[in-house]
Amino acid sequence: MSNSSFASSSLVIAQKAVKQLRLEASVRRIKVSQAAAELKTFCLQNAHKDPLLTGVPSSDNPFRPPKSCVLL
Amino acid sequence: MRSPLVPEMATQEVQLNETLSHLKTESETLKTKLEEERAKLHDVELHQVAEKVDGLGQFVMKTRRTLKGHGNKVLCMDWCKDKRRIVSSSQDGKVIVWDAFTTNKEHAVTMPCTWVMACAYAPSGCAVACGGLDNKCSVYPLSLDKNENLAAKKKSVAMHTNYLSACSFTNSDMQILTSSGDGTCALWDVESGQLLQSFHGHAADVLCLDLAPSETGNTFVSGGCDKKANVWDMRSGQCIQSFETHESDINSVRYYPSGDAFASGSDDATCRLYDLRADREVAIYSKESIIFGVSSVDFSLSGRLLFGGYNDYTINVWDVLKGTRVSILFGHENRVSTLRVSPDGTAFCSGSWDHTLRVWA
């Protein structure tokens, strides 16, 4: 590759990089405190529906072996 | 005697080089500005916000099923929406569909290549997609007739110029999203095999991808050997956000169930959480004693737990809000290479280089 064609393809790459960075810089952001609060709220609101978190009784979980019945 | 053209070419070259260095300076300035803008909004840590949240108690999670049958390293697995079937793929070229309740093998396909690094279940449950060193993603309709040769109905969908690292159906059986060692991701129409959109931006192999939960819209996240996690607009092909805080390859990315964040697992032995609205990393899940890479991550249904499969054969369970480890699960006898929580969150499945898959609950 000649010097000038190397420079011009590097130019295209550099132009794309600048364009991409400008796009990323323009993203609207919120504060971490607000974002974190919302992540926390989502977790807490859905906690009761999370079987791995709350644990479900063996009889309801198809993967857990059901407890054997003891006949008196 | 020098040609009169030489001075002109030399001037052009000088101009190009000047423009190039000007662009590089602008690049650096923009990068610094981006970091400054992100830092301005970094007013608190996630675990501080979660200080008053109740800690999690003891977890008793055990292997409830062991799926044996692969002849070599298990590389990938995916759940069917019916919450009981699993597809898995292996280094020996085999793709197996299991009934995880009974541990029976329902289908088996032998691929023409070894290292089937990616597999996915179609939303309808009627087909599976897979690929690897063949650089392709192929779709196999699953037949109810156990004797039917699945390989005969195989449909080649995606073509990359390097290995297929991951694949996922979108919300229908009609489109597949792929990532590849060729540094790109691509969206394909299954019926025609047509390329619908390609995603360029990673500077090295793309290793993983995850689609945003359908309510969140048409985006997906990818992670690669360039240590970057990129968020893409599926319609335009544009990279809309990029995160580069990992210190090594990103092996796995997974959206938080609300779609507002995603987790990543890396060869740098950490998992990290990135919030999309704050546009930054908001948590790191690591310990000095954990020095082996993370191969795959997934969230429990509420997003409170993050499961990570590691190259030291263990699965670490993290409290996403508090940043602490709540459990460490032993059982596999080699690297954990793949891990997914079931669609209804009642269990999760891990696949390993020890040739087995385990279902934990």
Side-chain angles (χ1 to χ4, degrees):
Chain A
M1 221 199 276
S2 73
N3 271 344
S4 60
S5 57
F6 175 76
S8 52
S9 66
S10 302
L11 195 70
V12 169
I13 294 170
Q15 281 168 336
K16 280 191 183 160
V18 165
K19 195 173 168 202
Q20 181 62 30
L21 283 166
R22 281 201 193 125
L23 184 83
E24 289 174 27
S26 69
V27 159
R28 274 215 200 98
R29 291 174 201 91
I30 64 173
K31 284 191 184 169
V32 175
S33 49
Q34 188 193 339
E38 294 186 22
L39 290 176
K40 181 182 87 172
T41 308
F42 184 89
C43 268
L44 298 177
Q45 280 177 348
N46 290 286
H48 66 283
K49 289 190 257 177
D50 186 341
L52 285 168
L53 188 65
T54 60
V56 290
S58 298
S59 48
D60 290 349
N61 188 327
F63 290 106
R64 287 199 188 183
K67 291 190 166 65
S68 50
C69 300
V70 176
L71 291 172
L72 295 168
Chain B
M1 192 161 117
R2 275 170 76 195
S3 152
L5 285 172
V6 172
E8 212 178 280
M9 273 169 62
T11 315
Q12 275 181 2
E13 234 179 84
V14 165
Q15 280 173 348
L16 269 171
N17 285 331
E18 274 175 8
T19 318
L20 204 59
S21 80
H22 176 73
L23 281 170
K24 286 202 169 136
T25 314
E26 197 181 344
S27 230
E28 292 309 310
T29 312
L30 281 168
K31 277 188 194 162
T32 311
K33 182 158 181 255
L34 192 58
E35 284 320 306
E36 279 171 7
E37 291 301 311
R38 281 172 166 168
K40 275 184 200 167
L41 298 163
H42 187 199
D43 52 348
V44 80
E45 298 293 332
L46 175 59
H47 64 83
Q48 288 171 300
V49 166
E51 245 159 38
K52 302 242 174 73
V53 173
D54 285 343
L56 298 171
Q58 278 285 12
F59 277 95
V60 178
M61 269 179 235
K62 292 187 197 169
T63 301
R64 305 293 175 174
R65 300 286 189 280
T66 303
L67 305 178
K68 294 187 186 177
H70 276 295
N72 213 318
K73 307 176 172 67
V74 175
L75 302 175
C76 189
M77 59 83 37
D78 191 19
W79 287 89
C80 177
K81 282 204 158 74
D82 72 2
K83 313 157 225 171
R84 70 185 279 171
R85 283 174 181 77
I86 285 176
V87 63
S88 62
S89 64
S90 159
Q91 184 193 343
D92 66 356
K94 290 247 174 17
V95 175
I96 300 179
V97 175
W98 315 77
D99 176 335
F101 286 1
T102 61
T103 75
N104 288 341
K105 298 179 204 28
E106 296 199 337
H107 303 274
V109 171
T110 305
M111 293 280 285
C113 67
T114 56
W115 288 89
V116 188
M117 293 173 248
C119 63
Y121 229 115
S124 67
C126 298
V128 293
C130 53
L133 285 187
D134 58 353
N135 299 357
K136 293 188 202 168
C137 184
S138 306
V139 175
Y140 291 85
L142 294 174
S143 168
L144 289 171
D145 175 0
K146 306 268 159 79
N147 294 321
E148 189 170 348
N149 180 10
L150 288 184
K153 294 240 168 98
K154 163 178 159 176
K155 200 187 215 56
S156 250
V157 175
M159 280 289 296
H160 278 280
T161 54
N162 209 325
Y163 64 89
L164 187 83
S165 53
C167 62
S168 174
F169 284 86
T170 59
N171 46 20
S172 81
D173 283 20
M174 305 283 81
Q175 293 181 352
I176 285 190
L177 193 58
T178 57
S179 64
S180 168
D182 68 15
T184 71
C185 297
L187 181 66
W188 310 82
D189 176 88
V190 173
E191 193 53 51
S192 63
Q194 199 193 348
L195 174 67
L196 299 171
Q197 185 62 263
S198 65
F199 305 89
H200 297 259
H202 278 287
D205 306 23
V206 187
L207 299 177
C208 52
L209 61 84
D210 192 37
L211 272 139
S214 39
E215 314 79 50
T216 326
N218 282 346
T219 62
F220 74 94
V221 61
S222 64
C225 291
D226 58 357
K227 311 176 204 169
K228 280 193 181 166
N230 289 339
V231 180
W232 308 86
D233 178 315
M234 277 171 72
R235 273 176 288 224
S236 67
Q238 188 79 255
C239 171
I240 51 185
Q241 281 172 283
S242 185
F243 303 91
E244 195 176 350
T245 62
H246 271 295
E247 294 168 20
S248 187
D249 298 0
I250 297 178
N251 298 313
S252 175
V253 285
R254 195 75 68 210
Y255 270 92
Y256 186 76
S258 71
D260 289 332
F262 69 90
S264 58
S266 163
D267 275 351
D268 69 7
T270 70
C271 300
R272 294 175 197 237
L273 186 69
Y274 298 89
D275 187 290
L276 294 169
R277 286 147 356 113
D279 187 39
R280 62 171 298 122
E281 176 192 290
V282 293
I284 305 184
Y285 307 98
S286 66
K287 272 177 111 65
E288 262 182 49
S289 54
I290 300 176
I291 57 171
F292 282 83
V294 188
S295 63
S296 61
V297 294
D298 203 357
F299 286 101
S300 70
L301 226 57
S302 66
R304 183 69 191 270
L305 299 175
L306 180 68
F307 300 95
Y310 288 70
N311 293 343
D312 64 2
Y313 315 176
T314 68
I315 293 166
N316 286 304
V317 186
W318 301 89
D319 178 331
V320 169
L321 298 181
K322 292 189 180 280
T324 52
R325 179 175 63 185
V326 295
S327 193
I328 175 169
L329 304 173
F330 300 96
H332 278 298
E333 294 167 16
N334 207 320
R335 289 193 187 193
V336 178
S337 52
T338 179
L339 187 158
R340 295 296 294 257
V341 171
S342 73
D344 63 353
T346 51
F348 70 91
C349 179
S350 58
S352 163
W353 280 16
D354 69 7
H355 308 189
T356 72
L357 292 116
R358 284 172 181 249
V359 179
W360 308 75

